[in-house]
Amino acid sequence: MNFISSKDLDKNKWDELVSKNDGKIFSYSYYFDSNSKNWGAFVNEDYSKGLAVAYNKIFGVKIIYPPIFGKYFQFFGLNSTEISELFLKIQSTFKIATFHTIENIEADFKKFKLQEKKFQIRDSYGKINTLSKRMIKKAESNGIEILETPFEEILPIINAELIFKLKNIESGVYEKLEKLLYVLSEKKMLISKGIYENGKLVGGLCFCETKTEILYLTGVSKELARTNGGMYLCMNSLIEHSISENIIIDFGGSDIENIRRFYLSLGGIDVNYFSISWDFSPFWFKALRKLSKFFKK
């Protein structure tokens, strides 16, 4: 299997591979195009096996990183032995990585930093707990409404209330989100719900809907509407939709425990995945990165 950058990749064949293997929406070429600095895929000649990753390139050193609106990288058409073999090739191609995967890869993890992470999904067995029911009723009693709203109207609130907090995590977050939402809207896959308080738009949530699941992308509410249960009411409108369509909700997960508990309170359950990190970069590169971080302080 060879690594092919996105500009040289046959994206139609890649998307066919993702589709045949019931891949997640964030594995499709258009999602990577919208959500990554650079990306490419390890594929065999007939595109029957593969793995795509997002990466950055600094002074010629390629660095795998998890895109902000993605989750993990998916292996397609590979058995466990082939996955382990490809994992070795990934290490030789990318000297630095934060590699997220749902696969339990067999490898010598003395060389890596391995961290177990969680995201939350809600299936048909999910139950909303008492706190969430109370917050939903509170929102309704305070006159909060949830209405279908163009994402272009919600974006400025997301930018003001949320994106500025993420700017130190990854540059160009707003631009990536705007591009991604536009692409999903064009493909009729976007759900954008506005949170209205006394008729005024005060927040909103954006989701991507496929045939099998609803993926929560991002969302925010101004403080008063949030305190009055606006986020709970908005999420509940999607829960009702998911039940009617008999599909799951992927809440996306968070390393912040309060957010995790919020998803669990809405009937979510934990799903494990893994973050594997390594740094095999040359000494001079490590020295440059340390120097760069020092001057950014």
Side-chain angles (χ1 to χ4, degrees):
M1 299 178 72
N2 296 314
F3 182 75
I4 304 174
S5 66
S6 60
K7 64 183 178 63
D8 297 318
L9 191 71
D10 187 325
K11 293 180 181 178
N12 288 330
K13 288 185 178 180
W14 172 257
D15 288 342
E16 286 176 10
L17 174 61
V18 176
S19 179
K20 286 178 181 177
N21 287 273
D22 297 321
K24 298 292 186 179
I25 186 66
F26 46 75
S27 290
Y28 282 89
S29 64
Y30 50 85
Y31 204 102
F32 270 110
D33 282 338
S34 303
N35 194 36
S36 308
K37 295 174 183 175
N38 307 285
W39 73 280
F42 291 90
V43 290
N44 59 351
E45 190 172 345
D46 64 358
Y47 282 72
S48 61
K49 301 177 181 182
L51 163 86
V53 295
Y55 67 95
N56 197 6
K57 193 173 182 180
I58 303 175
F59 297 121
V61 177
K62 293 178 181 177
I63 305 170
I64 291 178
Y65 75 98
I68 192 165
F69 299 109
K71 189 182 289 97
Y72 51 82
F73 304 122
Q74 290 189 283
F75 294 88
F76 298 114
L78 299 163
N79 60 37
S80 58
T81 300
E82 291 170 325
I83 288 174
S84 297
E85 291 173 351
L86 178 55
F87 189 62
L88 292 174
K89 194 163 190 175
I90 295 168
Q91 296 163 47
S92 64
T93 307
F94 296 91
K95 298 303 180 184
I96 304 175
T98 301
F99 184 90
H100 289 180
T101 177
I102 204 164
E103 301 287 345
N104 193 358
I105 300 173
E106 295 180 9
D108 180 7
F109 285 104
K110 293 177 182 178
K111 300 177 182 179
F112 314 110
K113 178 182 178 181
L114 177 64
Q115 181 183 4
E116 189 173 291
K117 301 173 75 70
K118 299 179 187 295
F119 64 96
Q120 292 75 44
I121 66 168
R122 188 189 195 281
D123 58 22
S124 58
Y125 298 101
K127 301 293 182 183
I128 298 175
N129 72 7
T130 302
L131 171 63
S132 291
K133 289 179 181 177
R134 189 161 60 242
M135 293 301 289
I136 291 166
K137 288 182 180 178
K138 182 178 181 180
E140 292 171 337
S141 65
N142 278 279
I144 294 176
E145 292 182 290
I146 308 302
L147 301 173
E148 297 288 338
T149 304
F151 76 88
E152 294 92 342
E153 296 179 22
I154 299 172
L155 265 177
I157 300 174
I158 292 176
N159 190 42
E161 299 287 328
L162 178 65
I163 295 297
F164 79 95
K165 298 176 184 178
L166 303 176
K167 286 181 179 177
N168 291 331
I169 299 174
E170 183 177 327
S171 62
V173 174
Y174 180 86
E175 292 77 9
K176 289 184 178 71
L177 177 59
E178 184 177 36
K179 184 177 180 182
L180 177 60
L181 296 181
Y182 178 80
V183 168
L184 295 176
S185 179
E186 286 286 295
K187 291 182 175 293
K188 310 297 183 186
M189 301 174 73
L190 181 67
I191 299 174
S192 52
K193 297 274 191 177
I195 302 171
Y196 291 81
E197 190 172 41
N198 298 319
K200 182 180 178 181
L201 182 64
V202 293
L205 279 67
C206 295
F207 305 81
C208 173
E209 183 175 13
T210 70
K211 293 178 180 179
T212 57
E213 67 179 8
I214 297 172
L215 173 65
Y216 175 45
L217 298 172
T218 189
V220 74
S221 172
K222 291 186 178 181
E223 186 175 358
L224 182 59
R226 184 170 62 250
T227 302
N228 285 333
M231 296 288 282
Y232 285 88
L233 186 62
C234 196
M235 280 290 189
N236 188 56
S237 71
L238 262 294
I239 289 171
E240 291 175 348
H241 176 69
S242 72
I243 293 171
S244 68
E245 296 294 322
N246 194 29
I247 56 178
I248 70 168
I249 295 178
D250 183 338
F251 289 116
S254 174
D255 292 328
I256 301 171
E257 182 59 24
N258 284 344
I259 298 177
R260 173 179 171 265
R261 287 202 295 267
F262 171 60
Y263 298 145
L264 295 178
S265 76
L266 293 167
I269 57 173
D270 285 328
V271 178
N272 294 331
Y273 69 110
F274 304 96
S275 177
I276 308 170
S277 303
W278 65 84
D279 186 350
F280 304 145
S281 62
F283 172 79
W284 61 265
F285 185 81
K286 292 176 182 175
L288 280 176
R289 292 191 90 188
K290 285 184 180 180
L291 194 62
S292 174
K293 290 178 181 178
F294 174 79
F295 282 112
K296 285 182 179 179
K297 290 181 179 179

